[in-house]
Amino acid sequence: MYQALYRKWRPKTFSDVIGQKHITDTLRRQVSEGRLSHAYLFTGTRGTGKTTCAKILAKAVNCEHPVDGDPCNACPSCLGIDNGSLLDVLELDAASNNGVDHVRALREEAIYSPAHVKYRVYIIDEVHMLSTAAFNALLKILEEPPAHLIFILATTELHKVPATILSRCQRFAFKRLQPRDIADRLLYVARQENIGLTPGGADLLARLSDGALRDGLSLLDQCAAVGGTIDADQVLEVLGLSGNLQTAQLMEHILRRDAKAAILLLDQLYGGGKDVSAVLGELSTLARDLLIRMTAPEGGEALLSGGYDAAAMDSLSALASPQRLIHISTLLQSTAAGLSLSANRRTDAELCLLRLCDDSLCGDLTALVSRVKRLEEQLSKNPRPTAAPAAPAGGRKQKAAAAEPSPIMDDIPWEAPPAPIMDDVPWEAPPAPKTPDPPEDFAAAPMPAAAERTAVPADDGTARAADGDLWDRLIDAYKGRLPAMYRAFLDGARGKLEGDLLTVVCGSDFTEKQLHNVKVQSVLQEVTSAALDRPIAVAFTVGEMPKPRGGAPASGGDKLDDLINFGSQFDNFKVK
C-alpha cells in the first residue's frame, strides 16, 4: 500500500528535524545528560514538528543505545515505539478523549511501572481540548508523577491551557518554518523519490505551505501524481490556482478605477461557480501581498502567500500606493466579515467593488484623504494660472508706490468677523441705508477744490464742520465699495481728518472690531486719497462720537432708539 510522503519522510531523530534547532538541541542535551523533566508542553502551529519531536523524545529516553541524545532506531524499544507495539508509550487524542473519565483511567494505569522500557510516556495531542474537569483530574499526577512517568503535551492553542497546567510543564515553542527550509527539504525528498521538482516549483510549494512542512509534503505528493516535471506553472495548474490570474486582473481593474470592467469580471467569476466570499478573500490576500512587497521589499518574500508571480506583483504595485492598499484591505475585510449575515451576498460584493473603484462612494476619512490626494496631484499637473493685476480706474492718478495690484481683490484673505455671516455665502445686497438730508447750508455746496481741501485740527477733540462735510460727502463712495455688513457699521462711526490722517472714531468696541480690517481700511484710504488728491492714511479708534453740525445728538439722545435704528439696517438681508 502506498504511504503518503509526509508519513514516509517523518523525521526519526532530532537531527532530521528542520527549523527547530533551538528545541532539538535542548532536548538532545537533556537526554544525554539524564536531566529529564516529568512534563513537557510543545506549542506551535500545525506541521511544525510537535508530535514528531514528542515521539523522538519518547524513543530517546527509552533507547538502549542512544547516540548523543538521538535514538538509534534499531533496538527493540525504538522499533516497538515506531510500530506501536509497545503499550508503555501511549499517544492519546484529547479531542476524542477529553472527558474526566478518560483522565481517571489514565491515572490508574500510570501508577504501574513499564513492562518493557525504562519510562512510561504519555503523549497527549491537542491537550487544549480537555474539559475543565479533565484538567483538574490531571493536575495531581502531573505535579507529583511516579519516577517512571513522563507526560508530553502538545497544543496549537496555548491560550486555552489553564495556568495550573502551564506552571507544571517545561514549555517549548515551535516556530513556523521558513520557506527556504521547506524548499530545501522538498528538493531533498523529491531527489530521493525520483520526482522532477524544479527549484521554482519548490519555492512556490514552500510559500503555499504557510510554514508547515507537512502541508508542503502533501502538496508535493499531489503534484507528483500528475507526473512529469513539476515547475511553478505545473503547481498552479494542478492545485487549481490558475484562477489567481483572474483575481490579479480584477485587482488591476480596481486600481485603475474601472468599475464597469470589475463588475463584469465579477459576474464572469460568479457565473463560473466562484463563490463571492472566496473572491473577496483572494483580493484581500493579494492586497496584503502587494502591501508587504511595497513596505518590505527586502526580507518580505517569506511573508508572501506565494499564489502570484513576481511580474504580476510588479505591474500591480506600480498602480497603487500603501494608503490605497490599506483602504482596500480594510474594506474587503469588513465586507467579507458581514457576508455571513447578508441577504444577498452577490450584491454586497458588487457594492464593495464599486466603493473600491470610486472613493467618492465611501464616507470614511480614509477615502476622503485619498480624494484630496488625487486633487493635489491634478493641481500639481495643471497649476492654477496667476491672475493679472487689475487695471487702474480711468482718470485716477496712480502713485509710484501704488504700482502694485490693488489690495481690494477677491483672492486676498479676509479677516473673519465673529458674526455668523460667512463670506462664501452669496448675499443679496440690501438697499443702501437712507441717510438724513444734509442741512441746507452745505446741501447745495459743491465739493471743495483740491486746493481748498485742508484740514483744520479741532481743539475740542471733535471733528470740525469741514471734516463732517467731507465724511458725509464720501460715505456713499465708501459704501459703494464695501459689502452690506460693513456699510451698516459705517453708520456707527464718524471721520476725523487731521493733516494726512483720517481717524475713524467708532462709538463701540464692537463697531471698531468689525471695521478695523485690511479691506475696509484699504477702501477708505483709496477713496479719500483720490478725493483729496494726496496720500491719506486711515486709523481706527474707539471714543465719543464727533458731534455733527449743529451739535444735535446722533439719534435723539435715546440709546434704545439708536439700537433699533442700527438693527433696522439688516431687515432686508436675504440669503439666496
Side-chain angles (χ1 to χ4, degrees):
M1 181 178 178
Y2 178 75
Q3 191 176 19
L5 291 179
Y6 78 88
R7 295 184 57 195
K8 183 178 180 179
W9 290 96
R10 168 171 279 181
K12 301 294 184 181
T13 64
F14 289 122
S15 303
D16 295 337
V17 179
I18 65 171
Q20 310 295 345
K21 186 175 176 59
H22 64 293
I23 295 176
T24 57
D25 288 349
T26 303
L27 295 178
R28 185 186 295 112
R29 179 178 292 274
Q30 286 187 355
V31 172
S32 62
E33 296 181 357
R35 302 179 60 180
L36 299 173
S37 175
H38 66 280
Y40 294 89
L41 178 61
F42 294 164
T43 67
T45 57
R46 71 186 192 284
T48 54
K50 299 184 299 297
T51 306
T52 297
C53 286
K55 289 184 175 181
I56 296 175
L57 180 60
K59 290 191 300 181
V61 298
N62 291 308
C63 181
E64 299 176 7
H65 309 288
V67 181
D68 294 334
D70 279 327
C72 65
N73 293 314
C75 65
S77 298
C78 293
L79 296 177
I81 294 175
D82 282 337
N83 57 35
S85 60
L86 284 181
L87 300 180
D88 294 323
V89 177
L90 185 61
E91 183 177 355
L92 300 176
D93 180 17
S96 56
N97 300 277
N98 56 2
V100 64
D101 294 334
H102 296 95
V103 177
R104 286 173 180 170
L106 182 149
R107 289 173 53 186
E108 294 175 358
E109 296 177 357
I111 61 176
Y112 298 105
S113 299
H116 303 286
V117 293
K118 183 188 296 186
Y119 293 97
R120 182 184 291 271
V121 181
Y122 285 96
I123 301 174
I124 305 178
D125 200 8
E126 301 299 333
V127 70
H128 65 273
M129 298 294 290
L130 291 178
S131 63
T132 303
F135 273 124
N136 293 333
L138 187 62
L139 280 178
K140 186 62 177 177
I141 192 172
L142 195 64
E143 183 178 12
E144 298 178 357
H148 61 268
L149 186 61
I150 295 178
F151 281 98
I152 304 177
L153 313 179
T155 179
T156 56
E157 301 184 33
L158 180 63
H159 60 280
K160 294 185 179 180
V161 180
T164 52
I165 298 293
L166 296 177
S167 63
R168 290 166 170 81
C169 302
Q170 283 191 11
R171 191 189 315 176
F172 292 90
F174 285 72
K175 299 185 299 184
R176 193 182 299 269
L177 301 182
Q178 296 298 319
R180 185 69 265 164
D181 297 334
I182 298 177
D184 293 340
R185 183 66 176 177
L186 293 178
L187 290 173
Y188 172 77
V189 172
R191 286 194 299 268
Q192 300 299 321
E193 295 289 333
N194 295 322
I195 299 175
L197 178 63
T198 64
D203 292 339
L204 180 56
L205 288 174
R207 292 196 300 269
L208 292 174
S209 62
D210 194 21
L213 180 58
R214 182 173 63 239
D215 291 4
L217 290 171
S218 298
L219 294 176
L220 175 61
D221 210 353
Q222 181 178 349
C223 295
V226 180
T229 303
I230 303 176
D231 55 6
D233 295 336
Q234 182 77 357
V235 171
L236 293 176
E237 183 68 26
V238 173
L239 299 182
L241 299 177
S242 299
N244 286 4
L245 300 178
Q246 292 179 311
T247 304
Q249 185 178 2
L250 182 58
M251 178 62 75
E252 182 179 359
H253 295 328
I254 292 174
L255 296 178
R256 295 186 182 277
R257 307 182 188 276
D258 192 348
K260 177 181 178 181
I263 293 297
L264 292 177
L265 183 54
L266 178 63
D267 179 72
Q268 179 182 348
L269 294 174
Y270 184 81
K274 192 83 169 182
D275 186 62
V276 292
S277 61
V279 174
L280 297 184
E282 292 174 1
L283 283 175
S284 179
T285 302
L286 178 55
R288 171 188 173 275
D289 287 353
L290 290 174
L291 185 60
I292 291 176
R293 190 178 181 87
M294 295 179 66
T295 56
E298 298 181 2
E301 294 292 334
L303 304 177
L304 302 180
S305 64
Y308 305 91
D309 57 357
M313 299 281 285
D314 291 338
S315 62
L316 293 176
S317 299
L319 301 174
S321 63
Q323 294 81 1
R324 180 98 190 276
L325 291 175
I326 292 176
H327 169 62
I328 291 175
S329 299
T330 303
L331 187 55
L332 286 172
Q333 293 280 6
S334 60
T335 304
L339 286 181
S340 58
L341 304 176
S342 173
N344 193 325
R345 296 155 59 90
R346 181 182 180 183
T347 301
D348 284 352
E350 291 173 344
L351 293 177
C352 177
L353 292 183
L354 289 177
R355 290 194 293 269
L356 291 176
C357 294
D358 188 358
D359 294 336
S360 63
L361 301 178
C362 298
D364 58 354
L365 184 60
T366 304
L368 180 60
V369 172
S370 178
R371 293 169 58 190
V372 171
K373 183 177 180 180
R374 292 174 57 192
L375 291 175
E376 291 176 347
E377 292 176 353
Q378 294 178 3
L379 289 176
S380 62
K381 295 178 181 178
N382 302 312
R384 181 180 178 184
T386 305
R396 293 185 177 180
K397 297 182 180 179
Q398 300 294 326
K399 301 292 182 179
E404 299 181 356
S406 173
I408 314 302
M409 299 175 62
D410 294 336
D411 56 352
I412 293 181
W414 282 64
E415 179 181 349
I421 302 176
M422 296 183 296
D423 293 339
D424 55 350
V425 177
W427 293 90
E428 179 179 347
K434 185 176 181 180
T435 57
D437 295 334
E440 295 180 358
D441 54 349
F442 47 83
M447 174 71 72
E452 301 175 358
R453 295 171 189 163
T454 57
V456 180
D459 54 358
D460 57 353
T462 60
R464 294 290 300 269
D467 298 338
D469 291 344
L470 179 62
W471 179 264
D472 291 337
R473 292 178 185 277
L474 295 180
I475 192 169
D476 290 337
Y478 298 153
K479 292 181 178 181
R481 299 284 301 274
L482 294 172
M485 180 182 70
Y486 297 103
R487 296 198 300 264
F489 284 121
L490 281 176
D491 292 333
R494 296 290 290 178
K496 178 181 177 181
L497 182 62
E498 296 178 342
D500 292 336
L501 175 65
L502 174 63
T503 302
V504 180
V505 183
C506 303
S508 65
D509 292 336
F510 178 74
T511 302
E512 191 272 340
K513 186 175 183 180
Q514 301 304 315
L515 292 178
H516 194 179
N517 62 68
V518 176
K519 193 171 186 71
V520 175
Q521 188 174 8
S522 301
V523 169
L524 268 60
Q525 180 176 344
E526 182 180 350
V527 173
T528 308
S529 299
L532 299 181
D533 197 20
R534 69 175 187 273
I536 298 296
V538 177
F540 296 87
T541 185
V542 179
E544 183 180 357
M545 291 281 291
K547 297 178 182 180
R549 292 189 61 184
S555 58
D558 193 340
K559 294 184 178 181
L560 178 61
D561 291 341
D562 288 343
L563 183 60
I564 294 175
N565 293 333
F566 177 74
S568 65
Q569 307 296 328
F570 302 90
D571 292 342
N572 296 324
F573 278 22
K574 295 181 181 180
V575 180
K576 294 183 179 180

